[in-house]
Amino acid sequence: MKPFIFIIIMTTVISGTIIVMTTSHWLMVWVGFEMNLLAIIPILMKKYNPRAMEAATKYFLTQATASMILMMGIIINLLHSGQWTVSKDLNPMASIMMTTALAMKLGLAPFHFWVPEVTQGISMSSGLILLTWQKIAPLSILYQISSTINPSLLLTMSIMSVMIGGWGGLNQTQLRKIMAYSSIAHMGWMTAIMMYNPTMMILNLTIYIIMTLTTFMLFMYNSTTTTLSLSQTWNKTPLITSLILVLMMSLGGLPPLSGFTPKWMIIQELTKNEMIMMPTLLAMTALLNLYFYMRLTYSTALTMFPSNNSMKMKWRFECTKKMTFLPPLIVMSTMMLPLTPMLSILD
Amino acid sequence: MLKIIIPTAMLMPMMWLSKPNMIWINSTTYSLLISLVSLSYLNQPGDNSLNSSLLFFSDSLSAPLLVLTTWLLPLMLMASQSHLSKEILARKKLYITMLILLQLLLIMTFTATELIMFYILFEATLIPTLIIITRWGNQTERLNAGLYFLFYTLVGSLPLLVALLYIQNTMGTLNFLIIQYWAKPISTTWSNIFLWLACMMAFMVKMPLYGLHLWLPKAHVEAPIAGSMVLAAVLLKLGGYGMMRITILLNPTTSQMAYPFMMLSLWGMIMTSSICLRQTDLKSLIAYSSVSHMALVIVAVLIQTPWSYMGATALMIAHGLTSSMLFCLANSNYERVHSRTMILARGLQTILPLMAAWWLLASLANLALPPTINLVGELFVVVASFSWSNMTIILMGTNIIITALYSLYMLITTQRGKYTHHIKNINPSFTRENTLMTLHLLPLLLLSLNPKIVLGPIY
């Protein structure tokens, strides 16, 4: 893609999300979402093949439907309150419609069916933008309306998401589908805490974005898309194998890595609000996620898959890929647990 | 406490920057020095604890376990030298790094005051152990073994996290120094029963309790020697230590909830001992004997009498040293014959007589011969459980007999009888191996002269 056109498109994507996050007029929220959607379609179709076009079409259809349902919710809110301001007192009917629409945009169950298929059809870097940047806008609207969301609706969706994210990823070998199911499960965790302490949702989002960014960059470093090709990493860059090991454990939420911080804080906030069975259920189902991350590390770092002799030479070559900011990202995705007391600045 | 933690953390850079022929020497020597420093913590005031800071403390229960942990690192390093000799330098250093990291996390676990910090470090010890078992084990089954180990422990310990956070909300703090004085009796409602279960299941899986012990034979057998040593000697004791700490918060529900677990332990003790009599695999036999001894510790902790707590602590230390020594002996066989089958390397007394002496002493310690602390522990636990219920003496007595049977079975099969013709040309015992056995056995024998160090806070 020519650089000039790429800059225009990325500017539109970024400004669309920023419009959604910062505006106080409900119509502008819808405008921001549409800008974001229309501009990201060419990014999804960077590789011009039928699979990418199918993925972009599916993404467009689901997101456009969700935008329309969001618009319906906005109009109902206008009807009942008489004004367009984004505020905390939302009509319950409008709140339900908006929650459903935003769940469709995020890929929460039962609206999660598009996430694996879209993520699989596009290139790694587009998948990265899809799973990290695109989550910011819907979650910011959910943050703003969090006090009026119907609890049973949101909690049902979040518990189902964590379960589906766990069980769905078990049979996958394609790395992009694995990351898609990981995204569904993490979205479930984020929306679970939305009603009690939305600040923890932002913490989870931040750490999730850092970890997913790092994971995608390590996968792009090796140009791998399947578990089988990832298993040859020990030939190319042995250091990356240990990093993938630590990163997968962090994604799975094992202490003492930073992926444990959001889970710990979310469980703490939920138990403070007298919910005991739900965090136990969420935590146990997250172990399914850990299982398929460990399967990745088994094939990558903990065993040495057979390879032919010409593959064994590859570590001698220098890497020419530009991996900007990778070392700080790795440190942030794995070693930030001791900084947990700093969370008091978020209040 | 920092005078132990920082040197242990600094062992890692020192080892990475050493010359290639000095990595073993440097790490073994300095870890022995650190264990010497940790001995000062055994000087405990009778009824209180030595509090270093708000984060770390050591009392008469954690000090012997701390000394055991620091004592074990040089022994693990000595035991691993042979099977790592053919690896490239970077992998040797990585292996030693895993051992040192595990040591660091274990030291912090045993001395943590805050129960959440204990939980985080308890889980953190899983990662280096998983890497040691799965990366450096020898057979294909090690992959399954690592998964079983990780997931059994995690499924047990996630409810513990929720329970600890709930207790923090009701009690205000989880600092052990405070809650030992603030703990109130809890009523026996259904939700408190679930709270009890959530708190205890993590440690039951770690001990392991008989029904949940499936990970242990896999993990012990497939791990390399250092992994087996640290698993048997220290990681199982994390479960016992955790149980003894957390039962303070759970009175008096324990006296009611303990029945199913007592039954499982008492029956499981005999079951696993009997399985030992039918084992062909040497490491598997020692692994099942670990389950059997730990079942005694579970019984002792659940009864909650002063004698049983003393017995549990003594038994944990004694079993740690004995089991680790047996694994080292099994490894010396494995390195010569490259098979764990017992009958393949039999009649070793005529070929390696000094090693036969160590086999004899280790087997005698395993079957709780007086005056070792193994006997002190078992005796205290048997007497305490007899006072809890008279009928347990039948099961305990049967267990002692079967323990003696399989220990002698192991001794006779490997040492006595005529040797096979294919082991005539094995290497003689190395000085390193004899040193290893001596360093295991000397603390065990010397502690029988002064067992009050290991008898815990109730003494």
Side-chain angles (χ1 to χ4, degrees), chain B residues 122-139:
Chain B
F122 175 80
E123 299 284 296
T125 57
L126 291 177
I127 298 183
T129 321
L130 175 74
I131 297 180
I132 292 177
I133 295 179
T134 320
R135 176 65 183 82
W136 277 281
N138 277 320
Q139 280 79 31

Side-chain angles (χ1 to χ4, degrees), chain B residues 25 53 94 97 139 145 159 222 256 259 291 300 317 328 344 349 383:
Chain B
I25 302 175
S53 73
L94 265 177
T97 310
Q139 280 79 31
E222 303 303 329
Q256 231 183 312
Y259 283 102
V291 181
I317 306 294
C328 287
L344 276 185
Q349 187 167 12
V383 171

Side-chain angles (χ1 to χ4, degrees), chain B residues 311-332:
Chain B
T313 322
L315 198 51
M316 285 202 283
I317 306 294
H319 172 259
L321 288 168
T322 315
S323 188
S324 175
M325 183 170 178
L326 283 171
F327 273 115
C328 287
L329 289 167
N331 186 51
S332 72

